[in-house]
């Protein structure tokens, strides 16, 4: 096989070879069996730990999406799919008061460090579900632009990373990526359209034997949680229609959370890789489904510039690489610290306090359901999936499904959210947090419910106010995004923004 040190273009060529696909598949199967033996021998354990990922975009002085300069990238962040994307991670910490305080401090420090690193470049870092001010070239042209690298054509505005080039070539091998939304029906030659939408992902590690219970409960919480988080109600206006100004009604009356259909546009084959997962009965189900998932952009460990890795990553490298393309809205992840849940449906939020609030809400809620024996686990999986997509369409106005504490099935949102916040408090209390600290952590998201608003609803109101004042729709959207950027920089939390 090939050796390390290949450039991105050569790796892209290698990923299309049949013998590479065969070798990759063999290694994944072998490594899965090796891990299964650890499961059976009780050598794969795990403990309660938490973490998160937060994506954002870089914008220029006019708030137009622009490529992130090199100053944005250091030890605390990395590139994502588009040149305009930046991703931050927090390391896993214990799920206890000290660990949660560490999450708060680390996230705030890393966001601040990225922003300070960009101060002299004229760019700013913004966390939003879907940035709607087009780049200077126009959105469609930006997404379609290409360049040549060592005889291979790649998307010009994709991060210059072999993994992304290979993913793009694999996913588009059978056809274009199609975005089919009200007022916007377009086919793109690359997966770069997914880079318009940015997320926050919450991690919850659990003990090995308890993992199926936690995972299945997490599936049943996504509808109510996403309904509070919606933050992507509009695309860049130049993606709507083909000529002139788009219809304001079409722009403003679509789904409350467009990040979900934008990511699902990568489902160019059936079944799609981006979807709501099934329940799991045993931890080994995770391995079975990972092995059976459609292979995408195979990569071999020896292609790494720095050579083979050591430890858990080195022993299971190809398996973990395949896991990185196992795209589910709640994803089971196997790593050296044990199994973890990646809670992936949430868009990025405006302020650090909002991100922290959702992290506390999710880990507290899932843990609270499990430790209290709450019957939410009895909600049919199909109903949980329906709740997710209802939240995508309608945010806090969604028809959500829930099983109440007394076992009754309900769609009463007052009852649902009373239990959601009570269960989050129960879970956080069980992990040792004091009541006043829990109240402060949850306040930014709890205030959304009491006020009946979300960032998506705020964006629509701001655009409508400008339309009522005689502004055209494109200008109204751009002005709304500039106000979003300003308020996100000035306020501690979205809950403090004027309506």
């Amino acid at each position: 096989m090939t050796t390390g040190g290949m450039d991105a273009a050569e790796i892209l060529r290698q990923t299309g070879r049949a013998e590479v696909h065969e070798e990759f598949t063999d290694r994944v199967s072998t490594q899965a069996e090796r891990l299964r033996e650890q499961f059976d021998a009780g050598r794969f354990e795990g403990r309660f730990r938490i973490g998160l990922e937060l994506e954002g975009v870089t914008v220029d002085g006019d708030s137009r999406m622009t490529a992130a300069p090199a100053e944005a990238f250091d030890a605390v962040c990395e590139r994502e799919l588009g040149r305009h994307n930046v991703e931050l991670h927090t390391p896993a910490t214990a799920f206890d008061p000290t660990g949660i305080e560490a999450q708060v401090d680390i996230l705030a420090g890393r966001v601040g460090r990225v922003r300070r690193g960009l101060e002299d470049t004229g760019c700013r870092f913004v966390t939003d579900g879907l940035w709607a001010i087009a780049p200077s070239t126009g959105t469609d042209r930006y997404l379609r632009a290409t360049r040549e690298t060592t005889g291979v054509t790649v998307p010009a505005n994709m991060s210059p990373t072999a993994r992304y080039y290979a993913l793009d070539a694999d996913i588009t091998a059978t056809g274009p990526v199609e975005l089919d939304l009200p007022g916007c029906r377009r086919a793109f030659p690359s997966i770069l359209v997914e880079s318009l939408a940015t997320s926050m992902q919450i991690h919850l590690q659990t003990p090995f034997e308890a993992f199926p219970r936690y995972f299945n409960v997490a599936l049943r919480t996504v509808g109510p949680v996403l309904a509070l988080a919606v933050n992507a109600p509009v695309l860049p206006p130049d993606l709507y229609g083909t000529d002139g100004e788009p219809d304001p009604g079409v722009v403003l009356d679509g789904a409350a959370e467009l990040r979900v259909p934008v990511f699902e546009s990568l489902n160019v084959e059936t079944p799609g890789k981006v979807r709501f997962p099934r329940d799991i009965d045993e931890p080994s189900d995770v391995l079975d489904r990972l092995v059976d998932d459609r292979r995408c952009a195979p990569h071999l460990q020896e292609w790494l510039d720095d050579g083979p890795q050591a430890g858990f990553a080195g022993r299971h490298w190809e398996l973990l690489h395949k896991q990185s393309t196992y795209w589910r809205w709640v994803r089971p992840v196997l790593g050296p610290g044990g199994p973890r849940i990646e809670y992936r449906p949430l868009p990025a939020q405006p302020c650090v306090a909002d991100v922290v609030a959702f992290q506390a809400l999710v880990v507290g809620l899932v843990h609270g359901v499990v430790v209290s024996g709450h019957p939410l686990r009895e909600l049919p999986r199909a109903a949980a999936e329906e709740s997710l997509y209802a939240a995508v369409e309608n945010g806090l106005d969604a028809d959500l499904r829930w099983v109440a504490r007394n076992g009754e099935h309900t769609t009463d949102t007052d009852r649902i959210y009373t239990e959601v916040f009570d269960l989050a408090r129960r879970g956080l209390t069980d992990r040792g947090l004091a009541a006043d600290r829990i109240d402060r952590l949850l306040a930014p998201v709890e205030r959304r419910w009491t006020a009946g608003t979300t960032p998506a609803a705020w964006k629509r109101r701001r655009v409508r106010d400008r339309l009522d004042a005689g502004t055209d729709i494109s200008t109204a959207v751009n002005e709304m995004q500039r106000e979003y950027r300003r308020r996100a920089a000035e306020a501690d939390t979205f809950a403090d923004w004027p309506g």
Side-chain angles (χ1 to χ4, degrees), residues 21-32:
H21 283 241
E22 182 178 351
E23 177 67 16
F24 180 82
T25 298
D26 288 346
R27 294 188 192 184
V28 167
S29 297
T30 299
Q31 292 163 14

Side-chain angles (χ1 to χ4, degrees), residues 471-488:
T471 305
D472 64 81
I473 183 65
S474 295
T475 302
V477 170
N478 289 351
E479 289 179 352
M480 173 275 291
Q481 286 282 200
R482 293 187 181 103
E483 183 181 358
Y484 178 104
R485 168 185 158 181
R486 185 175 69 255
R487 295 200 181 280

Side-chain angles (χ1 to χ4, degrees), residues 186-210:
R186 294 173 185 256
F188 296 96
S190 82
I191 65 173
L192 192 60
V193 64
E194 193 272 327
S195 71
L196 296 178
T198 47
S199 70
M200 62 169 291
Q201 300 174 20
I202 297 163
H203 300 173
L204 174 61
Q205 293 182 9
T206 76
F208 178 75
E209 294 298 337

